[in-house]
C-alpha cells in the first residue's frame, strides 16, 4: 500500500499567490532600536519612511521588475499607515508623475516629509487600504494612523473606501492589542482576500501583523519550511506564498482546466489493435461532427458557486481550513 504523500494538491482555481511585504525602515524603527519606551513621543505619530527606507524601496522595486512579479500583480492591498502606503506605491506604483497625466497620482510630492517626487498611478495595479492588516496596536504613537481625509490628500489614487471611519477609532492610548486578536484579524483578512477575483495579490503590512498571522501556518510542514513561513520579516522584505481554501470558498471560474471530448469508442487493449481503433475513432468523428451540448443548468450552477462570497458563519471557520506553502524562493 502506498504511503500518503508529503505534499498537498489543490486545483489551481482554488489558489491565490500572495506576495507579503513588510514596510521599509521607518523613523520609529530607528528610535525603537534604543528601546520601546522611546516610541511613545507624539513626534513619531504615524511614522514615515527614513531616507534609508526609501533606498530599500528602490532596491525592491528593481528586484520585483527583474523577476517578473511587478508585471503579474493584479492588486496591491496596504495598511493605512503612512510607512506602509509609501512602501506600496514606491515598489509597485507607476513611474514619476507629471502634470499631463490624466489620472491622479498615487502619492503627491513630499508626502510624509520625504524628498520624493510624485508617483504616477498609470501602468500599475489598483491600490486599496484595509484596517485588518495594520500594525499591532497599543500605546505607541507610531501605531496610530492619520485621518483618512488627510491620507487622501497625500495618496489621491489609493482606494480608502473600505476604511469605515475618518478618524482612527481603533487605536487606544492605554491599551495594548492582544496577540490573539491580531491573529483573528489575520484570519479575517485572508478570508476576505479569498473572496477577491484577483489571483496574484501584494499585501504590504507590518512586523507584528505578519508575525502573528504567519504563525498560524506551517504546523504540518518540515521544520525548514515552517521556519521560512514563520520567521520575522525584515524591513522591506518580500516573501511569496500560495494560499488555498479547502472548502473552495471564493474560488474563481475555471479557466485553466480542460476536459476534452472523448468519443465513446473501444479502448485500445494493446499495441496491435491501435491501428484498428484509430479507424473506428475516425469513422465515429465523421458521423458525429458535433460533440454533445453542454448542460446549461450545470454550467450556471458551477459559476454561481465559484463566485459566492463568505457568509458571517464561514468567516469564523477554524484556522486549519487554510493551506499555506512557500511559492517562490527569496531572491
Amino acid at each position: 500500500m502506498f504511503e500518503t504523500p508529503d505534499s498537498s494538491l489543490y486545483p489551481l482555481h482554488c489558489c491565490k499567490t500572495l506576495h507579503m511585504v513588510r514596510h521599509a525602515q521607518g523613523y520609529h524603527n530607528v528610535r525603537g532600536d534604543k528601546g520601546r519606551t522611546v516610541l511613545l513621543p507624539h513626534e513619531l505619530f504615524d511614522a514615515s519612511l527614513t531616507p534609508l527606507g526609501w533606498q530599500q524601496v528602490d532596491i525592491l522595486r528593481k528586484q520585483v521588475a527583474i523577476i517578473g512579479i511587478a508585471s503579474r500583480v493584479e492588486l496591491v492591498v496596504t495598511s493605512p499607515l503612512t510607512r506602509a502606503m509609501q512602501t506600496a506605491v514606491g515598489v509597485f506604483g507607476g513611474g514619476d508623475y507629471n502634470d499631463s497625466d490624466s489620472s491622479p497620482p498615487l502619492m503627491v510630492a513630499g508626502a510624509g516629509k520625504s524628498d520624493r517626487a510624485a508617483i504616477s498611478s498609470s501602468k500599475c495595479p489598483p491600490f486599496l487600504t484595509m484596517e485588518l492588516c495594520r500594525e499591532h496596536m497599543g500605546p505607541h504613537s507610531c501605531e496610530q494612523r492619520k485621518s483618512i481625509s488627510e491620507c487622501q490628500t497625500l495618496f489621491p489614487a489609493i482606494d480608502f473606501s473600505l476604511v469605515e471611519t475618518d478618524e482612527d477609532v481603533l487605536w487606544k492610548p492605554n491599551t495594548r492589542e492582544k496577540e490573539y486578536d491580531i491573529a483573528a484579524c489575520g484570519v479575517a483578512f485572508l478570508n476576505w482576500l479569498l473572496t477577491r477575483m484577483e489571483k496574484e495579490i501584494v499585501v504590504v503590512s507590518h512586523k507584528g501583523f505578519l508575525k502573528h498571522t504567519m504563525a498560524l501556518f506551517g504546523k504540518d510542514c518540515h521544520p525548514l519550511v515552517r521556519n521560512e513561513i514563520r520567521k520575522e520579516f525584515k524591513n522591506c522584505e518580500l516573501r511569496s506564498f500560495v494560499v488555498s481554501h479547502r472548502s473552495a470558498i471564493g474560488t474563481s471560474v475555471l479557466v485553466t482546466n480542460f476536459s476534452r471530448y472523448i468519443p465513446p469508442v473501444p479502448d485500445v487493449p494493446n499495441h496491435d489493435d491501435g491501428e484498428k481503433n484509430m479507424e473506428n475513432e475516425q469513422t465515429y468523428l465523421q458521423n458525429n461532427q458535433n460533440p454533445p451540448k453542454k448542460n446549461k443548468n450545470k454550467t450556471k450552477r458551477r459559476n454561481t458557486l465559484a463566485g459566492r462570497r463568505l457568509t458571517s458563519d464561514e468567516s469564523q471557520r477554524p484556522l486549519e481550513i487554510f493551506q499555506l506553502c512557500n511559492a517562490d524562493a527569496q531572491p
Side-chain angles (χ1 to χ4, degrees), residues 22-255:
R22 181 189 173 191
H23 65 78
Q25 186 194 65
Y27 282 101
H28 68 301
N29 293 133
V30 179
R31 294 282 293 273
D33 290 340
K34 301 176 181 178
R36 300 293 293 175
T37 56
V38 301
L39 296 177
L40 295 174
H42 192 71
E43 69 224 36
L44 293 175
F45 166 72
D46 195 7
S48 57
L49 297 185
T50 65
L52 176 59
W54 279 110
Q55 291 179 32
Q56 294 171 339
V57 166
D58 293 337
I59 292 172
L60 183 56
R61 180 181 178 84
K62 292 178 182 177
Q63 189 67 16
V64 297
I66 291 172
I67 62 180
I69 291 178
S71 61
R72 300 195 306 266
V73 170
E74 301 170 72
L75 175 69
V76 178
V77 183
T78 175
S79 154
L81 294 175
T82 298
R83 55 191 178 274
M85 293 188 289
Q86 288 176 319
T87 302
V89 302
V91 175
F92 296 99
D96 291 340
Y97 179 83
N98 59 68
D99 295 336
S100 63
D101 288 352
S102 58
S103 54
L106 277 170
M107 187 184 81
V108 300
K113 299 180 180 179
S114 70
D115 60 355
R116 308 294 286 200
I119 298 175
S120 174
S121 61
S122 62
K123 298 181 180 180
C124 64
F127 288 69
L128 60 84
T129 58
M130 279 284 289
E131 296 267 37
L132 282 174
C133 65
R134 62 183 290 179
E135 181 57 303
H136 189 174
M137 290 181 286
H140 307 124
S141 60
C142 58
E143 295 155 358
Q144 183 180 14
R145 67 165 171 81
K146 297 179 177 65
S147 67
I148 295 304
S149 55
E150 184 177 356
C151 290
Q152 287 174 324
T153 64
L154 300 175
F155 303 93
I158 292 183
D159 183 355
F160 293 92
S161 62
L162 296 179
V163 181
E164 296 181 355
T165 60
D166 185 47
E167 297 297 331
D168 188 0
V169 298
L170 298 177
W171 182 82
K172 307 296 181 184
N174 300 314
T175 304
R176 186 67 171 165
E177 190 176 20
K178 296 180 180 179
E179 295 180 358
Y180 176 86
D181 292 332
I182 306 172
C185 285
V187 173
F189 179 69
L190 289 174
N191 275 332
W192 173 79
L193 282 179
L194 287 166
T195 68
R196 301 287 307 188
M197 294 304 296
E198 296 87 357
K199 300 296 292 181
E200 194 151 351
I201 301 173
V202 168
V203 176
V204 182
S205 187
H206 306 263
K207 173 182 174 181
F209 175 83
L210 293 170
K211 173 184 176 181
H212 296 294
T213 300
M214 304 308 284
L216 301 172
F217 302 99
K219 297 182 180 67
D220 56 349
C221 296
H222 186 279
L224 291 176
V225 177
R226 182 166 59 248
N227 179 64
E228 186 173 358
I229 293 173
R230 297 180 176 183
K231 67 181 179 181
E232 187 175 288
F233 276 74
K234 299 183 184 300
N235 285 123
C236 214
E237 180 181 358
L238 177 148
R239 286 186 229 156
S240 300
F241 301 91
V242 171
V243 63
S244 176
H245 202 302
R246 295 177 184 174
S247 62
I249 298 300
T251 57
S252 60
V253 179
L254 302 177
V255 293

Side-chain angles (χ1 to χ4, degrees), residues 1-6:
M1 189 177 209
F2 292 107
E3 294 182 0
T4 303
D6 292 332

Side-chain angles (χ1 to χ4, degrees), residues 261 288-293:
Y261 172 65
N288 299 270
Q289 293 295 324
N290 299 318
K293 295 182 179 180

